[in-house]
Amino acid sequence: MVLPIYIYGQPVLRKVAEDIPQDYEGLDTLIRDMWDTLAESEGIGLAAPQIGKSIRVVVIDLDVISDDLPEYKDFRHVYINPHIIEYDDSEESSSEEGCLSLPAIHEKVVRPTRIHVQWVDEQFEAHDEWIEGYLARVMQHEFDHLDGKMFVDRVSPLRKQLIKNKLKALIQGRFRCGYKTKSIRK
């Protein structure tokens, strides 16, 4: 089922999400709904807070960009209870980011190119890896949602000032996008 995506201003987007137990009720259905919602909104990543759930679940589909980045062909993964353990700050990159919860806003964000991540998969098998490149950027963006952060929190104060009116419009429900949403005013 396609769920509405929560838009900037919704309180759940600013909460620190909680880890879930292996017997979390309805997890399979939730993950399936997250995949459906991600596909409908044409995104590459979706965190549970973006659909109103303050839990640590993320789905990432990089297959949709595999024409440009062939190494991500068939890359579709679920991350449960993910945590970034360490950032390798020796190399950073700046790249434009957007977000389903911030329609029509795109800004350059500087992030480390390598991170140490721990999570469990759908079978609750533990993973502990260093992740690099584009996937590291996507994980940082999505996992920020689990910590109550959004990419606009990582832009310079000047850029934040310049997009202030766009952010205010989102809070007021004055925006258009091609997927179901839930804003404070709608």
Side-chain angles (χ1 to χ4, degrees), residues 9 21 31 34 37 40 54 62 68 75 78 93 105 110 139 144 158 176 178 181:
I31 291 170
M34 288 178 72
T37 303
E40 179 71 19
S54 191
L62 296 183
D68 295 325
F75 186 99
V78 176
S93 71
I105 297 179
V110 176
M139 283 181 156
D144 269 357
L158 175 61
R176 287 193 179 154
T181 61

PDB file of all heavy atoms in Angstrom, residues 9 21 31 34 37 40 54 62 68 75 78 93 105 110 139 144 158 176 178 181:
ATOM      1  N   GLY A   9       8.260  19.909   8.714  1.00  0.00           N
ATOM      2  CA  GLY A   9       7.368  20.553   9.680  1.00  0.00           C
ATOM      3  C   GLY A   9       6.639  19.538  10.550  1.00  0.00           C
ATOM      4  O   GLY A   9       6.214  19.871  11.656  1.00  0.00           O
ATOM      5  N   PRO A  21      12.465  -4.491  17.987  1.00  0.00           N
ATOM      6  CA  PRO A  21      12.807  -5.886  18.257  1.00  0.00           C
ATOM      7  C   PRO A  21      12.494  -6.757  17.030  1.00  0.00           C
ATOM      8  O   PRO A  21      11.761  -6.352  16.130  1.00  0.00           O
ATOM      9  CB  PRO A  21      11.886  -6.255  19.430  1.00  0.00           C
ATOM     10  CG  PRO A  21      10.690  -5.378  19.237  1.00  0.00           C
ATOM     11  CD  PRO A  21      11.215  -4.094  18.653  1.00  0.00           C
ATOM     12  N   ILE A  31       7.511  -2.961   5.650  1.00  0.00           N
ATOM     13  CA  ILE A  31       8.590  -2.920   4.655  1.00  0.00           C
ATOM     14  C   ILE A  31       8.004  -2.956   3.245  1.00  0.00           C
ATOM     15  O   ILE A  31       8.424  -2.194   2.370  1.00  0.00           O
ATOM     16  CB  ILE A  31       9.599  -4.065   4.897  1.00  0.00           C
ATOM     17  CG1 ILE A  31      10.378  -3.792   6.193  1.00  0.00           C
ATOM     18  CG2 ILE A  31      10.545  -4.220   3.700  1.00  0.00           C
ATOM     19  CD1 ILE A  31      11.217  -4.963   6.666  1.00  0.00           C
ATOM     20  N   MET A  34       6.637   0.371   2.506  1.00  0.00           N
ATOM     21  CA  MET A  34       7.715   1.338   2.262  1.00  0.00           C
ATOM     22  C   MET A  34       8.254   1.194   0.842  1.00  0.00           C
ATOM     23  O   MET A  34       8.505   2.196   0.172  1.00  0.00           O
ATOM     24  CB  MET A  34       8.833   1.181   3.302  1.00  0.00           C
ATOM     25  CG  MET A  34       8.433   1.679   4.682  1.00  0.00           C
ATOM     26  SD  MET A  34       9.721   1.469   5.952  1.00  0.00           S
ATOM     27  CE  MET A  34      10.896   2.736   5.448  1.00  0.00           C
ATOM     28  N   THR A  37       5.660   2.734  -1.469  1.00  0.00           N
ATOM     29  CA  THR A  37       5.672   4.193  -1.340  1.00  0.00           C
ATOM     30  C   THR A  37       6.889   4.784  -2.035  1.00  0.00           C
ATOM     31  O   THR A  37       6.779   5.793  -2.747  1.00  0.00           O
ATOM     32  CB  THR A  37       5.646   4.590   0.154  1.00  0.00           C
ATOM     33  OG1 THR A  37       4.484   4.004   0.760  1.00  0.00           O
ATOM     34  CG2 THR A  37       5.620   6.091   0.334  1.00  0.00           C
ATOM     35  N   GLU A  40       6.357   4.605  -5.834  1.00  0.00           N
ATOM     36  CA  GLU A  40       5.351   5.566  -6.277  1.00  0.00           C
ATOM     37  C   GLU A  40       5.896   6.991  -6.296  1.00  0.00           C
ATOM     38  O   GLU A  40       5.557   7.790  -7.159  1.00  0.00           O
ATOM     39  CB  GLU A  40       4.122   5.490  -5.364  1.00  0.00           C
ATOM     40  CG  GLU A  40       3.024   6.464  -5.700  1.00  0.00           C
ATOM     41  CD  GLU A  40       2.269   6.136  -6.977  1.00  0.00           C
ATOM     42  OE1 GLU A  40       2.336   4.975  -7.440  1.00  0.00           O
ATOM     43  OE2 GLU A  40       1.611   7.039  -7.527  1.00  0.00           O
ATOM     44  N   SER A  54       8.282   6.423  14.026  1.00  0.00           N
ATOM     45  CA  SER A  54       9.545   6.793  14.659  1.00  0.00           C
ATOM     46  C   SER A  54      10.336   5.548  15.055  1.00  0.00           C
ATOM     47  O   SER A  54      10.635   5.304  16.221  1.00  0.00           O
ATOM     48  CB  SER A  54       9.289   7.688  15.874  1.00  0.00           C
ATOM     49  OG  SER A  54      10.509   8.234  16.317  1.00  0.00           O
ATOM     50  N   LEU A  62      18.845   1.570  -5.233  1.00  0.00           N
ATOM     51  CA  LEU A  62      19.756   2.253  -6.151  1.00  0.00           C
ATOM     52  C   LEU A  62      19.699   1.655  -7.555  1.00  0.00           C
ATOM     53  O   LEU A  62      20.356   2.157  -8.462  1.00  0.00           O
ATOM     54  CB  LEU A  62      21.193   2.231  -5.609  1.00  0.00           C
ATOM     55  CG  LEU A  62      21.396   2.990  -4.296  1.00  0.00           C
ATOM     56  CD1 LEU A  62      22.864   2.969  -3.890  1.00  0.00           C
ATOM     57  CD2 LEU A  62      20.884   4.416  -4.388  1.00  0.00           C
ATOM     58  N   ASP A  68      23.173   5.067 -14.838  1.00  0.00           N
ATOM     59  CA  ASP A  68      24.294   5.978 -14.632  1.00  0.00           C
ATOM     60  C   ASP A  68      25.391   5.367 -13.757  1.00  0.00           C
ATOM     61  O   ASP A  68      26.569   5.684 -13.931  1.00  0.00           O
ATOM     62  CB  ASP A  68      23.814   7.282 -13.992  1.00  0.00           C
ATOM     63  CG  ASP A  68      22.889   8.064 -14.913  1.00  0.00           C
ATOM     64  OD1 ASP A  68      23.097   8.037 -16.139  1.00  0.00           O
ATOM     65  OD2 ASP A  68      21.945   8.690 -14.392  1.00  0.00           O
ATOM     66  N   PHE A  75      20.363  -3.296  -6.853  1.00  0.00           N
ATOM     67  CA  PHE A  75      20.628  -2.941  -5.457  1.00  0.00           C
ATOM     68  C   PHE A  75      19.340  -2.446  -4.805  1.00  0.00           C
ATOM     69  O   PHE A  75      18.875  -1.340  -5.071  1.00  0.00           O
ATOM     70  CB  PHE A  75      21.709  -1.856  -5.363  1.00  0.00           C
ATOM     71  CG  PHE A  75      22.128  -1.562  -3.947  1.00  0.00           C
ATOM     72  CD1 PHE A  75      23.271  -2.117  -3.422  1.00  0.00           C
ATOM     73  CD2 PHE A  75      21.356  -0.742  -3.128  1.00  0.00           C
ATOM     74  CE1 PHE A  75      23.659  -1.858  -2.109  1.00  0.00           C
ATOM     75  CE2 PHE A  75      21.722  -0.469  -1.819  1.00  0.00           C
ATOM     76  CZ  PHE A  75      22.881  -1.037  -1.309  1.00  0.00           C
ATOM     77  N   VAL A  78      17.092  -3.405   2.647  1.00  0.00           N
ATOM     78  CA  VAL A  78      16.396  -2.951   3.849  1.00  0.00           C
ATOM     79  C   VAL A  78      17.421  -2.884   4.976  1.00  0.00           C
ATOM     80  O   VAL A  78      18.225  -3.807   5.149  1.00  0.00           O
ATOM     81  CB  VAL A  78      15.262  -3.934   4.241  1.00  0.00           C
ATOM     82  CG1 VAL A  78      14.604  -3.507   5.540  1.00  0.00           C
ATOM     83  CG2 VAL A  78      14.246  -4.053   3.128  1.00  0.00           C
ATOM     84  N   SER A  93      32.941  14.905   0.148  1.00  0.00           N
ATOM     85  CA  SER A  93      32.517  15.374  -1.171  1.00  0.00           C
ATOM     86  C   SER A  93      31.251  16.213  -1.010  1.00  0.00           C
ATOM     87  O   SER A  93      30.489  16.043  -0.061  1.00  0.00           O
ATOM     88  CB  SER A  93      32.266  14.204  -2.126  1.00  0.00           C
ATOM     89  OG  SER A  93      31.103  13.497  -1.762  1.00  0.00           O
ATOM     90  N   ILE A 105      13.094  21.155  -3.128  1.00  0.00           N
ATOM     91  CA  ILE A 105      14.275  21.790  -2.534  1.00  0.00           C
ATOM     92  C   ILE A 105      15.478  20.884  -2.787  1.00  0.00           C
ATOM     93  O   ILE A 105      15.448  19.696  -2.466  1.00  0.00           O
ATOM     94  CB  ILE A 105      14.087  22.052  -1.029  1.00  0.00           C
ATOM     95  CG1 ILE A 105      12.941  23.047  -0.807  1.00  0.00           C
ATOM     96  CG2 ILE A 105      15.388  22.562  -0.404  1.00  0.00           C
ATOM     97  CD1 ILE A 105      12.649  23.350   0.647  1.00  0.00           C
ATOM     98  N   VAL A 110      27.856  18.707   2.012  1.00  0.00           N
ATOM     99  CA  VAL A 110      29.177  18.093   2.157  1.00  0.00           C
ATOM    100  C   VAL A 110      29.051  16.947   3.149  1.00  0.00           C
ATOM    101  O   VAL A 110      28.515  17.116   4.247  1.00  0.00           O
ATOM    102  CB  VAL A 110      30.212  19.128   2.654  1.00  0.00           C
ATOM    103  CG1 VAL A 110      31.561  18.459   2.890  1.00  0.00           C
ATOM    104  CG2 VAL A 110      30.340  20.277   1.664  1.00  0.00           C
ATOM    105  N   MET A 139      23.105   6.544   2.515  1.00  0.00           N
ATOM    106  CA  MET A 139      22.900   6.055   3.889  1.00  0.00           C
ATOM    107  C   MET A 139      22.930   7.207   4.887  1.00  0.00           C
ATOM    108  O   MET A 139      22.070   7.287   5.776  1.00  0.00           O
ATOM    109  CB  MET A 139      23.974   5.030   4.255  1.00  0.00           C
ATOM    110  CG  MET A 139      23.772   3.675   3.659  1.00  0.00           C
ATOM    111  SD  MET A 139      25.124   2.600   4.213  1.00  0.00           S
ATOM    112  CE  MET A 139      24.339   1.006   4.054  1.00  0.00           C
ATOM    113  N   ASP A 144      20.175  10.011   8.738  1.00  0.00           N
ATOM    114  CA  ASP A 144      19.920  11.289   9.412  1.00  0.00           C
ATOM    115  C   ASP A 144      18.451  11.377   9.835  1.00  0.00           C
ATOM    116  O   ASP A 144      18.146  11.862  10.925  1.00  0.00           O
ATOM    117  CB  ASP A 144      20.242  12.468   8.490  1.00  0.00           C
ATOM    118  CG  ASP A 144      21.674  12.968   8.604  1.00  0.00           C
ATOM    119  OD1 ASP A 144      22.440  12.434   9.449  1.00  0.00           O
ATOM    120  OD2 ASP A 144      22.032  13.885   7.845  1.00  0.00           O
ATOM    121  N   LEU A 158      24.020  30.685   5.369  1.00  0.00           N
ATOM    122  CA  LEU A 158      23.584  31.554   4.278  1.00  0.00           C
ATOM    123  C   LEU A 158      22.569  30.840   3.387  1.00  0.00           C
ATOM    124  O   LEU A 158      21.512  31.390   3.072  1.00  0.00           O
ATOM    125  CB  LEU A 158      24.784  32.023   3.445  1.00  0.00           C
ATOM    126  CG  LEU A 158      24.427  32.835   2.194  1.00  0.00           C
ATOM    127  CD1 LEU A 158      23.679  34.110   2.568  1.00  0.00           C
ATOM    128  CD2 LEU A 158      25.678  33.153   1.396  1.00  0.00           C
ATOM    129  N   ARG A 176       3.516  21.527  -4.299  1.00  0.00           N
ATOM    130  CA  ARG A 176       2.925  20.501  -5.170  1.00  0.00           C
ATOM    131  C   ARG A 176       3.962  19.423  -5.415  1.00  0.00           C
ATOM    132  O   ARG A 176       5.145  19.725  -5.575  1.00  0.00           O
ATOM    133  CB  ARG A 176       2.516  21.102  -6.506  1.00  0.00           C
ATOM    134  CG  ARG A 176       1.305  21.961  -6.425  1.00  0.00           C
ATOM    135  CD  ARG A 176       0.793  22.259  -7.805  1.00  0.00           C
ATOM    136  NE  ARG A 176      -0.405  23.088  -7.677  1.00  0.00           N
ATOM    137  CZ  ARG A 176      -0.806  23.913  -8.594  1.00  0.00           C
ATOM    138  NH1 ARG A 176      -0.130  24.045  -9.718  1.00  0.00           N
ATOM    139  NH2 ARG A 176      -1.902  24.625  -8.418  1.00  0.00           N
ATOM    140  N   GLY A 178       4.102  14.992  -6.968  1.00  0.00           N
ATOM    141  CA  GLY A 178       3.344  13.941  -7.631  1.00  0.00           C
ATOM    142  C   GLY A 178       3.093  12.700  -6.799  1.00  0.00           C
ATOM    143  O   GLY A 178       2.816  11.640  -7.344  1.00  0.00           O
ATOM    144  N   THR A 181       1.089  13.028   0.233  1.00  0.00           N
ATOM    145  CA  THR A 181       1.850  13.635   1.315  1.00  0.00           C
ATOM    146  C   THR A 181       0.961  13.919   2.517  1.00  0.00           C
ATOM    147  O   THR A 181      -0.267  13.880   2.425  1.00  0.00           O
ATOM    148  CB  THR A 181       2.471  14.980   0.855  1.00  0.00           C
ATOM    149  OG1 THR A 181       1.410  15.872   0.496  1.00  0.00           O
ATOM    150  CG2 THR A 181       3.421  14.799  -0.305  1.00  0.00           C
TER     151      THR A 181
END
